[in-house]
């Protein structure tokens, strides 16, 4: 039987050709006190696919991502990463799975006491101990060049704009070459030009790295640009799942209203 | 229709037998909530401590962060601790001189200063100064990291935050407190001598000879090393309060304040227990 390390580090052939989902969420429930946030969500994402999770603010989109990466525990239901149920795993065990996941936080969550370069180097310093300092430095420069931030190595997070912080966050998320990328509101709070740049960047990275991606957003335009598939959430449940055309043709009142106001 | 409603309809003011009961019931309920919160806090602290211990004893070890914290907590607290120790030594010398002279025991002044400083004032002053400076610093830093999702980002990067953030800080507090206490003791003794020598000429040699007469390692080592327990308390409570913070800037402020208040309180309580323990086991 495969250990957690083996499962997490070696995606199977079926996953490679996209027939078996890399991420499988089943009947997920989550409440905070008396407030029910997720009410039986089931979703799957395969390798090379981008799923956009849409919905109004406060419908549990970010909670869904945190459940997928194990930062929060579901009340019931399962989250399978490469076929491994992550519920109840110890912090160090789930760490092995997280090495293959990249997470871009809504506000980038850069370490404010570290420079841009040190932020991107952080995962490498902890998990690529066989890499020399200069190799790590080269890899950091390569990652920052990929997101167009190669000229800002020594800047502190407080000295760069929100869009730039998201780029650095994205470079950090890609540092360990993940095969799952989770993006929490990548364009929130950005001007239209910066949003379009982030969308282009995500598309480019997706084409280059062929990851399974889940993008949480309430920006329909961005979702339409970067995702193959969309899932619309309302009151903790998936109202509709499909491509943009499926959403456009839907007769569901909430879907129509959401599209009308987007 | 209930009796109260009937009385109200008929124009008779209903009696108020329920008000007293209501007050008692509310008081009981809020007291129960407070007791629950109190035990919940200790339970959560115990779980947190267990997670930190488990993270601290399993590899990979975060030596680089530990050394950074040793510098942050040790070297950077040194000036304040030394100053507090020196001031305490001087005040102790002046006050003790006055009291001992009144009772005709002026010759005991060096011994009184030495024993007071190394037994109690040096360790407790160090514990309280560090809980103020370091407790607030750790509490605010970790709380700020928590509310800006930096701790989540560390966890998402497959790095154990209990190992990287908590274990290193707690260990640094445990290791540095005894050294800082030595510094406070030294400064306290020197300033105690200076304060005495300014009033009445006395060489440092005489002061030391007279002060340390009859003293042995049991007078010196247990009080110094008890501050390692103070370090554990300060580090543990500050990390715990910081890492469980909720809310924005107000949450960060609350975490910093509660770190200082609770760690100071528990340092004082622990001191009472440890003094008794030292008296029993190191007579």
């Amino acid at each position: 039987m495969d250990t957690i390390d083996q499962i997490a580090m070696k995606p199977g052939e079926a996953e490679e050709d996209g027939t078996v989902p890399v991420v499988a969420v089943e009947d997920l429930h989550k409440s905070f006190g008396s407030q029910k946030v997720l009410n039986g969500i089931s979703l799957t994402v395969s390798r090379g696919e981008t799923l956009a999770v849409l919905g109004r603010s406060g419908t549990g989109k970010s909670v869904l991502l945190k459940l997928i990466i194990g930062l929060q525990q579901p009340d019931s239901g399962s989250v399978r990463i490469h076929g491994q149920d992550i519920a109840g795993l110890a912090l160090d065990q789930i760490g092995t799975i997280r090495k293959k996941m990249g997470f871009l936080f809504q506000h980038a969550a850069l370490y404010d006491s570290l420079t841009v370069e040190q932020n991107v180097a952080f995962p490498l310093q902890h998990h690529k101990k066989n890499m020399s300092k200069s190799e790590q430095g080269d890899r950091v420069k390569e990652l920052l060049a990929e997101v167009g931030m190669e000229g800002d190595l020594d800047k502190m997070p407080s000295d760069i704009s929100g869009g730039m912080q998201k780029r650095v966050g994205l470079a950090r998320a890609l540092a360990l070459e993940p095969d799952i990328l989770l993006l929490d509101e990548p364009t929130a709070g950005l001007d239209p030009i910066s949003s379009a740049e982030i969308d282009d960047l995500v598309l480019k990275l997706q084409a280059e790295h062929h990851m399974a991606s889940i993008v949480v957003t309430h920006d329909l335009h961005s979702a339409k640009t970067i995702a193959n598939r969309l899932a619309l959430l309302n009151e903790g449940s998936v109202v509709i799942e499909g491509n943009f055309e499926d959403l456009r043709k839907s007769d569901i009142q909430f879907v129509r209203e959401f599209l009308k106001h987007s | 229709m209930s009796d109260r409603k009937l009385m109200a309809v008929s124009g008779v003011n209903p009696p108020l037998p329920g008000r007293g009961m209501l007050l008692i019931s509310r008081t009981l309920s809020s007291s129960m909530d407070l007791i629950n919160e109190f035990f919940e806090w200790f339970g959560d602290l115990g779980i947190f401590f267990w997670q930190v211990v488990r993270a601290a004893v399993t590899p990979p070890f975060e030596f680089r962060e530990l050394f950074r914290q040793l510098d942050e907590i040790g070297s950077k607290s040194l000036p304040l601790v030394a100053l507090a120790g020196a001031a305490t030594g001087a005040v102790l010398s002046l006050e003790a001189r006055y009291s001992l002279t009144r009772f005709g025991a002026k010759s005991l002044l060096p011994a009184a200063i030495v024993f007071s400083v190394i037994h109690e004032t040096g360790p407790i002053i160090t514990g309280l100064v560090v809980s103020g400076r370091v407790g607030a610093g750790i509490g605010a830093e970790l709380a700020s990291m928590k509310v800006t999702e930096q701790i989540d980002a560390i966890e998402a990067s497959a790095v154990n935050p209990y190992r990287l953030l908590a274990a290193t800080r707690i260990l640094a507090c445990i290791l540095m407190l005894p050294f800082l206490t030595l510094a406070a003791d030294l400064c306290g003794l020197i300033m105690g001598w200076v304060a005495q020598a300014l009033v009445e000429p006395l060489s440092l040699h005489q002061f030391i000879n007279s002060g340390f007469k009859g003293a042995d390692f049991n007078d010196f080592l247990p009080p110094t090393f008890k501050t390692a327990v103070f370090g554990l308390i300060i580090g543990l409570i500050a990390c715990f309060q910081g890492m469980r913070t909720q809310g924005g800037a107000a949450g960060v402020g609350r975490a910093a304040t509660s770190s200082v208040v609770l760690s100071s309180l528990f340092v004082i309580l622990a001191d009472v227990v440890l003094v008794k323990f030292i008296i029993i086991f190191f007579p």
Side-chain angles (χ1 to χ4, degrees), chain B residues 162-214:
Chain B
Y162 294 101
R163 183 179 294 129
L164 179 70
L165 301 176
T168 51
R169 281 163 176 77
I170 295 171
L171 201 55
C173 284
I174 293 172
L175 293 174
M176 291 320 294
L177 255 287
F179 289 107
L180 290 169
T181 305
L182 288 179
D185 288 354
L186 184 69
C187 293
L189 293 179
I190 290 172
M191 281 310 290
W193 165 69
V194 169
Q196 200 192 353
L198 286 175
V199 180
E200 191 177 316
L202 177 75
S203 73
L204 181 62
H205 184 72
Q206 281 175 312
F207 178 81
I208 290 170
N209 271 352
S210 168
F212 282 92
K213 204 164 147 186

Side-chain angles (χ1 to χ4, degrees), chain A residues 2-13 15-16 22 47 81-84 92-101 127-128 130 176-180, chain B residues 158:
Chain A
D2 282 347
T3 63
I4 291 168
D5 295 69
Q6 287 165 333
I7 292 164
M9 303 310 277
K10 292 180 193 169
E13 278 176 28
E15 281 184 3
E16 289 286 358
V22 178
R47 196 168 174 80
I81 307 294
H82 294 300
Q84 168 74 39
D92 286 329
Q93 286 176 305
I94 204 168
T96 312
I97 293 171
R98 283 183 185 145
K99 283 180 202 165
K100 281 292 167 187
M101 300 169 92
H127 301 300
K128 298 279 181 187
N130 53 342
L176 298 177
E177 298 173 71
D179 41 43
I180 300 165

Side-chain angles (χ1 to χ4, degrees), chain A residues 66 69 71 91-92 95 98-99 101 103 105-107 109-112 122-123 125-127 129 133 172, chain B residues 54 58-62 64 141 144-145 148-150 152-164:
Chain A
K66 288 187 176 174
I69 202 166
L71 290 175
L91 209 53
D92 286 329
R98 283 183 185 145
K99 283 180 202 165
M101 300 169 92
F103 195 119
F105 285 81
Q106 188 171 349
H107 301 291
L110 299 181
Y111 310 126
D112 53 17
F122 182 87
Q125 285 166 352
H126 283 86
H127 301 300
K129 290 190 174 157
K133 285 253 177 229
R172 185 179 65 185
Chain B
R54 211 168 50 169
T58 50
F61 302 109
E62 301 286 352
R64 197 197 321 207
E141 184 190 12
S144 163
M145 288 182 78
T148 54
E149 293 186 310
Q150 290 176 56
D152 280 348
I154 288 173
E155 221 179 313
S157 296
V159 175
N160 187 333
Y162 294 101
R163 183 179 294 129
L164 179 70

Side-chain angles (χ1 to χ4, degrees), chain B residues 102-118:
Chain B
R102 277 181 66 187
F103 294 107
K106 205 169 72 177
S107 61
L108 291 176
L109 187 56
I113 295 169
V114 166
F115 278 80
S116 300
V117 167
I118 63 173

Side-chain angles (χ1 to χ4, degrees), chain A residues 2 8 18 35 70 77 90-91 95 112 123 140 149 153 202 257:
Chain A
D2 282 347
Q35 190 193 356
L91 209 53
D112 53 17
V140 169
M149 290 290 293
L153 289 169
V202 171
E257 256 184 62

